[in-house]
Amino acid sequence: GGSHMTAVELRDLLWSLVCVTWGLHVCGFVHMDIKPMNVVRFPDGNEKDVGIRWKLIDLDGAQLANERLPLSGSKWCFSPLYMPPELARAICDHAGAIDASLMTSRLMDVWSIGMCLMQAIFLVPVLSPWYTEWKEETGDERKFLEWLANYNTDPIIDADMQGHIRSIDPVLCTLLKGMLEKNPEDRCCIATCLTHTCFKQHRATLIKQDVVLREMSARSEDAGRTQERAMIRRLRGESADFEQSTAANRGGGGGRRKSTACVVS
């Protein structure tokens, strides 16, 4: 449910998801379960709700990238509607095998991000019709997983979907197609997403903000150094005054100070 997002809002959402996922990937982890329920919207402290921040939650199931994990008994999970085809293939190829395993990949998260944005566009999980129909028909998820695991079936973004997305934002449509390639060898990586033409303005804004922050930091450091120098000068002045006062009290030459007491004759 919900209302349709504008092209600008869709780009902002995708940029946020790509950036936060890139940060996770840089740390050597794969989220493994990116889906709309794990994407939270936070107002950016503006009463008019102009600034919106999107955050990725539920990192408990995150796994190290490029690690082989057992398919059974693992602490991570994937939702079928957002599951990457390579995971579906691993499940189908090794169903029932005790030693079945999966090699984690950052490309898995790229697929799931793409599926999240598709839902933001169409307001429903785009694979839900197939999943629901085949599960009701067979009683389990096997048929759906086999279809998803087949890299040679029709692309996720069919002609009708592509036409609709292009009417909203043709550049965004190009990026989504790259993110939702079934074969991971053809799928764009998170770095390609970051540097895509779709986010040219976002990158420019980020660079501008970085420059401003650097300037503010430099000014703050300069102000801090100025205050520090002023403090040192003041302390030195107070120290000199104290030394002069002490010398005066001692008579200036270090000799015995003349008494000013009254003498009783």
Side-chain angles (χ1 to χ4, degrees):
S3 57
H4 288 283
M5 302 174 74
T6 65
V8 172
E9 290 171 334
L10 289 170
R11 285 197 185 197
D12 287 346
L13 170 58
L14 186 55
W15 170 253
S16 296
L17 292 179
V18 166
C19 284
V20 71
T21 304
W22 173 80
L24 189 65
H25 289 179
V26 167
C27 293
F29 290 92
V30 182
H31 187 284
M32 302 293 289
D33 195 23
I34 297 177
K35 57 187 177 184
M37 288 182 63
N38 288 336
V39 179
V40 182
R41 181 177 183 263
F42 287 89
D44 200 18
N46 191 314
E47 293 182 357
K48 296 182 179 180
D49 211 29
V50 174
I52 298 296
R53 288 184 178 179
W54 298 92
K55 297 185 179 180
L56 189 60
I57 63 172
D58 195 13
L59 302 179
D60 294 347
Q63 301 293 326
L64 289 172
N66 303 317
E67 289 282 316
R68 187 161 291 282
L69 298 176
L71 288 177
S72 60
S74 296
K75 295 181 180 180
W76 56 273
C77 62
F78 243 120
S79 305
L81 295 176
Y82 311 97
M83 175 188 297
E86 55 268 37
L87 175 55
R89 172 171 284 198
I91 293 173
C92 292
D93 289 348
H94 305 288
I98 298 177
D99 59 347
S101 61
L102 167 76
M103 181 67 75
T104 60
S105 167
R106 295 176 175 86
L107 293 171
M108 294 177 171
D109 284 347
V110 173
W111 171 277
S112 300
I113 293 172
M115 295 306 298
C116 286
L117 197 77
M118 289 289 285
Q119 184 164 331
I121 295 172
F122 294 99
L123 303 183
V124 294
V126 293
L127 299 185
S128 182
W130 292 272
Y131 178 80
T132 302
E133 178 184 346
W134 290 333
K135 189 171 183 180
E136 290 178 352
E137 175 187 318
T138 63
D140 58 35
E141 301 173 340
R142 180 76 186 184
K143 186 173 182 178
F144 173 80
L145 294 179
E146 289 178 344
W147 168 81
L148 183 61
N150 188 346
Y151 298 165
N152 298 318
T153 55
D154 293 335
I156 295 298
I157 303 180
D158 60 25
D160 291 338
M161 287 182 177
Q162 187 173 155
H164 178 70
I165 300 172
R166 282 189 175 279
S167 69
I168 299 173
D169 189 332
V171 180
L172 182 63
C173 182
T174 302
L175 176 55
L176 270 176
K177 288 175 63 179
M179 297 177 73
L180 293 175
E181 287 284 352
K182 275 193 165 184
N183 190 334
E185 293 182 0
D186 300 325
R187 193 179 308 153
C188 62
C189 66
I190 201 73
T192 300
C193 296
L194 277 174
T195 57
H196 195 273
T197 308
C198 185
F199 300 129
K200 183 178 180 180
Q201 185 59 48
H202 291 80
R203 292 193 299 272
T205 301
L206 193 63
I207 292 172
K208 183 178 180 180
Q209 289 175 345
D210 183 60
V211 171
V212 171
L213 287 174
R214 288 176 183 271
E215 290 178 351
M216 290 175 63
S217 177
R219 290 174 185 172
S220 177
E221 289 177 3
D222 289 341
R225 284 193 291 267
T226 300
Q227 291 176 356
E228 182 180 354
R229 286 193 293 267
M231 178 66 73
I232 291 173
R233 285 196 299 269
R234 185 166 66 84
L235 290 174
R236 285 175 177 171
E238 291 177 354
S239 177
D241 291 343
F242 177 77
E243 289 177 0
Q244 290 175 6
S245 175
T246 301
N249 289 336
R250 290 176 178 174
R256 187 173 181 178
R257 182 174 61 88
K258 184 178 179 180
S259 175
T260 57
C262 296
V263 178
V264 180
S265 55

